[in-house]
Amino acid sequence: MTTQVLAPDESSLSLAARLLADGQLVAFPTETVYGLGANAFDEKAVLSVFEAKGRPADNPLIVHIHSRSQLDAICDVPDLAYPLMDAFWPGPLTILFPKKPSVPSVVTAGLDTVAVRMPSHPVAAAMLRACDLPVAAPSANSSGRPSPTTAKYVLQDMNGKIPLILDGGACDVGVESTVLDICHGQPTVLRPGGITKEMLEGVLGCEVQLAGSILRPLRADEKALSPGMRYRHYAPKGTVTLVEGSEEDVLAAMRCLCEAGRADGKKTCVMCFTEHVDALRDCNPHDIGHRGSDSETAHRLFSTLRLLDDEDMDLIYSEVVPPEGVGLAVMNRLGRAAAFRRIDARALLDEVYGG
Ligand code: AMP
Ligand code: MG
């Protein structure tokens, strides 16, 4: 199959709508990352999404809509959802709803809830209006790899597997939507994203919980509230390690680690804040945005991880951000990209130079 990459205009949007209605897959930009869409009512089309991504069948998809009037056909709407939709739709918030039987169980991996979101990206909205179908779409990457934030990275993973990629340029937020469960007692963030716990609490006027495994691996005895949390995720081909400690210790430890990596014949680099690029000039620095500007880091995270694959990087040492606000979404992805490997900079320096 030839994969066309087209700029969004009237003719490419109506082609996208025809393909979706015909049971085929279309990759499209959203404000978070690129999605790989299929008609949510078409079981066979949805199965081909899993196939194109190599996604485990027990990891459910998010259903994308352009209008609240589409909800009635797919789910029940609890009262609590209204203030959330008023405040955050269209936008990067995915809400779990009690599913109706019209949604094939492949979409929800057999769960009795369906995850729904209304994207704000003008191209996503235009495509959803043009086909007027609920579109089931996970991120448009091969399963396990960093999510694509440009059409180029979608093509890397999907070339020959899907007929169309709508190229809407770089995604704004850069990490996937916040996933919020309002169906099982106290509202719980299953996956952190651009809409923060604090923003949700502000609207709901009650405490919002964070799922336990956001910043650590799921324990063997623990049930995955969001099945996606079980899997290896967001990982580039090289080995990512997080380096933690005071600013001074982290810079010194990164220099040590890079020197050791290079001496070992490995392609080695650091992911660091803009302010540290000069100080780490000898460490092949990759800029993840200004210190304290977590939205900028979120925006750059996946494209940086993808670039490191393009560069065949072996060893990647990354700075960390405080796990608060949008920083929680960054650390959730970065932690998984690093398979939770972390180095305490002070301990490393004590070992190298004597305590
Ligand atoms: P992706 O589309 O690749 O961004 O992944 C969708 C995420 O939403 C995964 O982490 C899923 O596990 C999660 N998700 C989708 N539907 C549900 C659901 N019904 N219940 C819990 N988590 C869900
Ligand atoms: Mg994904």
Side-chain angles (χ1 to χ4, degrees):
M1 179 184 302
T2 316
T3 303
Q4 289 194 83
V5 181
L6 298 178
D9 57 22
E10 212 171 306
S11 92
S12 61
L13 287 168
S14 68
L15 173 62
R18 280 200 307 280
L19 288 168
L20 288 166
D22 188 37
Q24 306 217 51
L25 308 188
V26 176
F28 61 101
T30 80
E31 67 277 22
T32 60
V33 303
Y34 275 72
L36 179 61
N39 173 2
F41 292 136
D42 184 337
E43 182 171 9
K44 220 170 127 216
V46 173
L47 280 169
S48 63
V49 171
F50 285 90
E51 201 176 313
K53 279 182 62 93
R55 184 174 174 108
D58 61 351
N59 191 5
L61 309 184
I62 294 170
V63 174
H64 294 67
I65 58 172
H66 67 88
S67 159
R68 282 193 211 179
S69 63
Q70 294 174 285
L71 285 172
D72 190 43
I74 54 183
C75 60
D76 298 322
V77 182
D79 289 343
L80 205 56
Y82 288 95
L84 292 168
M85 295 190 291
D86 288 343
F88 302 116
W89 279 12
L93 176 68
T94 296
I95 305 174
L96 298 195
F97 294 95
K99 166 190 173 310
K100 285 190 175 164
S102 54
V103 179
S105 68
V106 283
V107 172
T108 62
L111 297 171
D112 53 10
T113 52
V114 58
V116 184
R117 153 167 137 76
M118 186 188 290
S120 64
H121 194 291
V123 176
M127 185 196 80
L128 292 166
R129 271 196 308 273
C131 68
D132 201 22
L133 289 165
V135 169
S139 51
N141 52 287
S142 296
S143 196
R145 300 207 63 208
S147 302
T149 51
T150 63
K152 172 184 144 183
Y153 289 133
V154 178
L155 191 65
Q156 261 181 12
D157 286 8
M158 293 299 148
N159 197 9
K161 296 181 180 172
I162 63 173
L164 176 62
I165 301 170
L166 291 173
D167 184 353
C171 301
D172 199 21
V173 180
V175 291
E176 303 87 342
S177 60
T178 303
V179 177
L180 181 71
D181 182 2
I182 54 166
C183 294
H184 303 96
Q186 193 173 4
T188 303
V189 171
L190 304 185
R191 176 176 75 181
I195 305 293
T196 64
K197 166 181 151 75
E198 294 74 20
M199 291 160 78
L200 295 166
E201 286 175 342
V203 166
L204 290 173
C206 69
E207 205 197 320
V208 171
Q209 283 183 318
L210 296 175
S213 57
I214 283 176
L215 292 175
R216 58 166 175 76
L218 204 67
R219 287 190 301 263
D221 62 333
E222 214 171 6
K223 187 168 169 279
L225 294 171
S226 187
M229 297 198 283
R230 252 200 312 273
Y231 295 104
R232 182 170 181 272
H233 239 122
Y234 314 121
K237 291 166 195 152
T239 303
V240 181
T241 305
L242 311 183
V243 184
E244 295 175 322
S246 71
E247 189 170 9
E248 194 183 340
D249 288 350
V250 166
L251 294 182
M254 282 184 146
R255 286 194 204 96
C256 273
L257 289 162
C258 284
E259 211 176 291
R262 278 200 305 266
D264 209 18
K266 305 276 198 228
K267 272 193 97 171
T268 308
C269 75
V270 297
M271 288 167 59
C272 66
F273 299 121
T274 312
E275 292 83 347
H276 297 158
V277 167
D278 280 339
L280 293 169
R281 188 53 70 198
D282 295 336
C283 297
N284 192 2
H286 288 61
D287 187 344
I288 54 170
H290 291 84
R291 195 184 164 93
S293 174
D294 295 343
S295 300
E296 194 184 353
T297 301
H299 175 75
R300 288 179 178 221
L301 183 63
F302 287 137
S303 54
T304 303
L305 293 173
R306 287 266 173 177
L307 181 67
L308 296 173
D309 275 353
D310 294 347
E311 295 175 350
D312 288 321
M313 205 58 67
D314 299 310
L315 299 177
I316 301 148
Y317 294 101
S318 180
E319 295 206 58
V320 299
V321 305
E324 292 146 18
V326 177
L328 185 68
V330 170
M331 289 312 297
N332 170 256
R333 302 337 186 254
L334 205 46
R336 279 172 169 73
F340 301 99
R341 268 179 301 271
R342 39 184 73 217
I343 286 180
D344 180 86
R346 187 67 253 158
L348 176 93
L349 294 169
D350 284 348
E351 203 178 297
V352 173
Y353 298 112

